[in-house]
Amino acid sequence: MNRFQTLLGCSAFALLSSAHFATADVTPNDVWQDWRDHIQSIGYSLTAKESTSGNTLTVSDLRLDLAMDPDQGDMSVTLGSIGFAQNDDGSVTVLFPPVMPVSVSVSPATGQGEPVTMTLTINQSAQDMVVSGTPTNMTSSYSAGMVGLTLDQLTVGSETVGPENAKMAITMQDVQSRTDSKLASMRDYDQTATIGSATYEMRFKDPNEPAIATVQGTSANLGFKANGILPLALAQVSDTAGLLRAGMDVAGTVTAGNSTMTLNIEDPVSGDMAIAMAAESGTLAVETSADGFSYAGTREGMTVSVQPPQFPFLLSFAMDNAAFNLSAPVMRSDAPQNFALGLNLTDFTMSDLVWGMLNPQGTLPRDPATVALDMTGTATLLADYLDMQNADQMSDAMDVPAKPESVKLNSLIVDALGARLTGYGAATFDNSGTDTQDGTLKPTGAVDLKLVGGNTLINSLVEAGLLPDQMAMGARMVMGMFTIPGDGEDTLETKIEFTRSGAILANGQRIK
């Protein structure tokens, strides 16, 4: 699946790339040569038949081959015909057929599985694509009333899987995109796209199992923005570490409006199950360069309902906001590099039916719950872990890929069931002895924690029958040992310190 996604992404980029309107002209040969050069520069070998009639260049029997690493196998893609027609104003119109067959074949390395072939169809209506500018500075503008992708046939080894066992259909309405591409020592591009609405349906079934899984979804007002620089030549598209060393620096953001997704599993043996999710909006941002990678995403106005197998009613949940962020270094360096981790789950609620099942007495507070974490730090990366050869070697040797240098807990908030836990702190690490004795890290620093409403929560859990009295007594003993009373009613505080000597203190009292 990763290979297929990589291939589709690279193919889509190659088929929709060009540059900015200018007074100079471009020819069909200029546009096709730019596409060809880019496809070949990222590791594909390309073959095609070219023919010219009047002012139109036609490229047919287009085939892309990608030789993966020896232990990953090969991949090939064949496409239909594409035309490039010269316009009187010096621009070029790209002519896609309304129906374009696509075949994708994956041949794994010997002993790694069976070959897979997928036959797909790309459908387009009211499409228009114009490329203008100069051979080194092009702009492509694309629009289509509808773009669809369907899976026609899937063959695994010698067995063909029919649509009753494997189905995929994706339809996008009102598609608009623009790509500016400039060539110098690197390829500099800027891309935007919008999709009015998108729907998808997928169906999966193991022919040897009775269960059938169906996924359906919709999204409205999709947007995409990307920019970056790409090397002009790379030996292999799967060599991410090589791309980064050569200067790749890319960033992209996807936005979406109202979205829905349903998952239905029909299982005559274990029982049927259904999951439905919806969100008012969402974003996903990705950035990758030699300085590191980062991911960040949000979902606003989420609702989730689950119908477990052989269960009498739906389990429903909602959340106002769900967000995450993650950033980390990717290239080896002798100097410490930054990393970050964040999570924010705001105003999580459960339906009265769920509460009634968990706490029919109604003794627990049903206020919306919130969990938030904000952590940053530095680490020294010992190897380029995106280099597959290094990753395999580290896995075999069980080596740690990085040394933590410092960590900072900027904020911790857990607000649920009437209790609120907050915290902050920081620590540095002495790595001078990590390769001696047991390699245990030696932190120096402190963490401050504050709990409001802890004893009240324990009493409520006991009253609800969710916490046995003996366990409640043990929890109170632990809190008494490691906390001190704080300001306010039912408030406990603690300061956990880590010293250079390896000792751990709780409010000044040594616990290790």
Side-chain angles (χ1 to χ4, degrees):
M1 180 59 72
N2 287 336
R3 298 172 186 162
F4 182 51
Q5 291 172 338
T6 300
L7 180 60
L8 285 182
C10 294
S11 299
F13 179 82
L15 293 176
L16 295 177
S17 288
S18 354
H20 188 58
F21 284 99
T23 56
D25 298 342
V26 289
T27 67
N29 282 324
D30 292 333
V31 177
W32 168 235
Q33 189 63 48
D34 182 65
W35 289 15
R36 187 180 191 117
D37 289 345
H38 177 62
I39 292 171
Q40 292 176 331
S41 72
I42 58 176
Y44 291 92
S45 61
L46 182 151
T47 58
K49 295 179 181 178
E50 302 175 15
S51 62
T52 301
S53 176
N55 65 350
T56 301
L57 167 66
T58 300
V59 178
S60 59
D61 297 336
L62 180 58
R63 179 185 173 101
L64 310 178
D65 289 282
L66 176 63
M68 310 289 277
D69 291 334
D71 59 345
Q72 293 182 328
D74 302 321
M75 179 186 298
S76 65
V77 177
T78 59
L79 303 167
S81 299
I82 304 173
F84 302 85
Q86 185 73 64
N87 299 320
D88 293 339
D89 62 358
S91 64
V92 171
T93 296
V94 181
L95 306 171
F96 292 107
V99 179
M100 176 182 285
V102 179
S103 177
V104 180
S105 298
V106 178
S107 300
T110 303
Q112 298 297 315
E114 296 181 297
V116 176
T117 299
M118 290 177 286
T119 302
L120 307 104
T121 299
I122 298 176
N123 297 279
Q124 300 180 79
S125 66
Q127 78 271 23
D128 181 66
M129 184 174 184
V130 176
V131 182
S132 61
T134 69
T136 58
N137 187 355
M138 296 185 190
T139 288
S140 70
S141 297
Y142 173 85
S143 64
M146 184 278 295
V147 178
L149 175 67
T150 58
L151 173 64
D152 300 321
Q153 184 174 288
L154 173 65
T155 301
V156 180
S158 59
E159 182 179 357
T160 298
V161 181
E164 70 279 3
N165 292 327
K167 177 182 179 180
M168 180 182 69
I170 302 171
T171 302
M172 297 175 287
Q173 305 285 347
D174 189 16
V175 180
Q176 308 280 336
S177 75
R178 174 186 171 113
T179 302
D180 296 324
S181 176
K182 299 179 182 179
L183 291 178
S185 60
M186 304 273 278
R187 181 182 292 270
D188 189 329
Y189 74 95
D190 195 329
Q191 191 172 36
T192 60
T194 60
I195 300 171
S197 64
T199 61
Y200 58 89
E201 180 179 1
M202 292 174 281
R203 176 187 174 97
F204 308 98
K205 182 183 185 300
D206 186 336
N208 300 318
E209 298 292 337
I212 303 172
T214 303
V215 180
Q216 295 177 313
T218 65
S219 290
N221 301 321
L222 290 161
F224 174 74
K225 294 183 179 180
N227 61 80
I229 53 176
L230 295 170
L232 295 183
L234 182 69
Q236 203 170 72
V237 69
S238 59
D239 184 11
T240 305
L243 275 168
L244 295 173
R245 294 189 195 102
M248 182 180 76
D249 187 343
V250 297
T253 301
V254 179
T255 60
N258 288 322
S259 302
T260 65
M261 190 197 78
T262 60
L263 167 63
N264 291 283
I265 299 177
E266 301 175 34
D267 190 340
V269 176
S270 302
D272 298 344
M273 184 178 73
I275 300 174
M277 294 184 288
E280 296 175 0
S281 63
T283 64
L284 176 64
V286 181
E287 185 171 356
T288 304
S289 71
D291 293 331
F293 75 86
S294 65
Y295 294 90
T298 64
R299 280 285 190 180
E300 304 283 346
M302 285 186 62
T303 59
V304 179
S305 62
V306 181
Q307 179 71 68
Q310 303 174 355
F311 210 70
F313 55 83
L314 285 173
L315 306 179
S316 299
F317 312 90
M319 191 181 307
D320 281 356
N321 177 65
F324 78 94
N325 66 273
L326 172 66
S327 62
V330 294
M331 305 296 290
R332 183 187 181 281
S333 174
D334 294 332
Q337 302 179 72
N338 296 325
F339 68 85
L341 173 64
L343 179 67
N344 192 343
L345 307 177
T346 304
D347 289 345
F348 174 82
T349 59
M350 300 187 297
S351 67
D352 289 339
L353 285 174
V354 178
W355 276 115
M357 181 178 63
L358 296 176
N359 179 220
Q361 306 92 333
T363 56
L364 293 176
R366 300 186 179 184
D367 300 330
T370 293
V371 177
L373 171 69
D374 179 10
M375 182 181 297
T376 56
T378 59
T380 300
L381 205 59
L382 304 178
D384 299 338
Y385 65 82
L386 291 181
D387 188 320
M388 295 307 298
Q389 183 175 357
N390 286 341
D392 291 341
Q393 291 176 352
M394 287 187 293
S395 176
D396 294 339
M398 299 298 291
D399 290 338
V400 177
K403 293 190 300 184
E405 303 289 347
S406 66
V407 63
K408 184 177 182 181
L409 179 61
N410 300 298
S411 176
L412 170 66
I413 300 173
V414 180
D415 194 341
L417 301 175
R420 181 179 176 88
L421 173 67
T422 58
Y424 63 91
T428 58
F429 296 89
D430 178 5
N431 291 294
S432 60
T434 55
D435 56 355
T436 61
Q437 297 179 353
D438 61 356
T440 302
L441 296 174
K442 298 178 181 179
T444 302
V447 177
D448 289 271
L449 300 172
K450 181 178 180 180
L451 177 62
V452 179
N455 281 305
T456 301
L457 175 57
I458 291 176
N459 293 335
S460 297
L461 291 173
V462 171
E463 186 178 352
L466 299 175
L467 184 66
D469 287 330
Q470 187 174 2
M471 292 184 64
M473 183 181 300
R476 291 191 178 96
M477 290 179 60
V478 171
M479 290 192 300
M481 292 173 58
F482 297 107
T483 65
I484 58 175
D487 296 334
E489 184 179 355
D490 196 2
T491 299
L492 299 172
E493 297 180 355
T494 186
K495 186 182 190 70
I496 306 298
E497 297 177 86
F498 306 90
T499 69
R500 291 184 179 275
S501 64
I504 301 177
L505 309 178
N507 302 309
Q509 298 297 316
R510 183 164 182 163
I511 59 177
K512 177 185 176 183

